[in-house]
Amino acid sequence: IVTTSHLVGTCDLAIQHRMAELCTHLFIDEAHHAEADTWKAFRERFSGRRVLQFTATPFREDGQAVDGKLIYVYPLRKAQQEGYFRPIRFRAVREFNASNGDRKIAMAALAELDADTTGKHIVMARVADTHRATSILALYQSFARHEAVAIHSGMSGSDQQAAKRKLFDGSARVVVCVDMLGEGFDLPELKIAA
């Protein structure tokens, strides 16, 4: 049975119990979310059976560790050595005035984007709220070097889809988002126009 916590949570309790009866193991992906009420209740139906939880984020947003015993840890350094991730180039931006800092960060990010010879990368600016998204989007648009779009829950679904299309086809290279496009978001490899 392959399902999501949302779907399991909408099932009758009898169906949830029957699923648990029929399955010898429970595998939970994105286990740092498993403390959510729906997952937690479903996981408890598997008491006495093996529950395997997977996560690349071993700490939840509330700072607590994921429940359970760690049986395997795959360090970022090893993933980099094995070619799954490239080393991270950190570029410090030192500025104590917030608006000047925003501008300097945007300039540094756009300089990296300009240096990208593959054309396959984007700049993502994640912000805390829609008001901030509006101001940061305007900042990136003021440079007029790369098309910038915003994506957040305050936008209509069609506007969100239009912004995603621009990211997917490579016409937009900058995205400003409010707590979106995080884990689980699949950005296909950008196509380079010939």
Side-chain angles (χ1 to χ4, degrees):
I1 299 172
V2 177
T3 188
T4 64
S5 62
H6 174 73
L7 189 56
V8 164
T10 61
C11 292
D12 290 338
L13 290 179
I15 293 172
Q16 291 184 31
H17 284 292
R18 186 69 177 141
M19 281 191 264
E21 287 172 11
L22 294 172
C23 298
T24 59
H25 293 71
L26 174 63
F27 298 88
I28 300 175
D29 193 18
E30 302 294 338
H32 51 282
H33 296 300
E35 291 304 311
D37 292 340
T38 50
W39 261 132
K40 192 173 187 176
F42 187 66
R43 185 179 64 200
E44 288 171 359
R45 300 189 202 317
F46 284 79
S47 67
R49 294 188 193 89
R50 293 224 184 247
V51 175
L52 293 150
Q53 302 182 116
F54 300 88
T55 182
T57 312
F59 292 95
R60 304 188 325 243
E61 282 189 22
D62 62 6
Q64 299 298 311
V66 173
D67 184 38
K69 177 179 129 187
L70 290 176
I71 58 172
Y72 183 74
V73 175
Y74 188 60
L76 177 60
R77 179 176 299 285
K78 186 173 181 184
Q80 289 172 335
Q81 290 168 345
E82 294 180 355
Y84 293 105
F85 288 99
R86 293 208 169 32
I88 297 167
R89 280 191 340 259
F90 175 72
R91 233 177 126 173
V93 174
R94 297 192 194 291
E95 177 57 55
F96 299 102
N97 176 289
S99 59
N100 289 343
D102 288 343
R103 186 168 188 75
K104 284 186 176 181
I105 290 168
M107 289 170 59
L110 290 173
E112 288 293 324
L113 196 57
D114 290 340
D116 173 28
T117 58
T118 69
K120 294 181 179 183
H121 297 89
I122 64 170
V123 166
M124 178 188 292
R126 288 185 73 183
V127 297
D129 57 51
T130 57
H131 175 72
R132 183 121 169 88
T134 301
S135 67
I136 296 299
L137 178 64
L139 173 65
Y140 277 95
Q141 289 172 333
S142 74
F143 289 104
R145 284 163 48 187
H146 300 281
E147 184 171 354
V149 295
I151 300 179
H152 55 76
S153 61
M155 299 168 62
S156 70
S158 60
D159 287 344
Q160 287 180 24
Q161 291 305 316
K164 286 179 187 177
R165 270 193 304 280
K166 288 182 177 185
L167 287 174
F168 293 168
D169 71 19
S171 60
R173 303 273 314 274
V174 177
V175 60
V176 179
C177 57
V178 180
D179 198 27
M180 294 180 88
L181 307 183
E183 59 186 308
F185 179 76
D186 184 22
L187 177 63
E189 187 171 314
L190 299 177
K191 305 288 188 246
I192 302 171

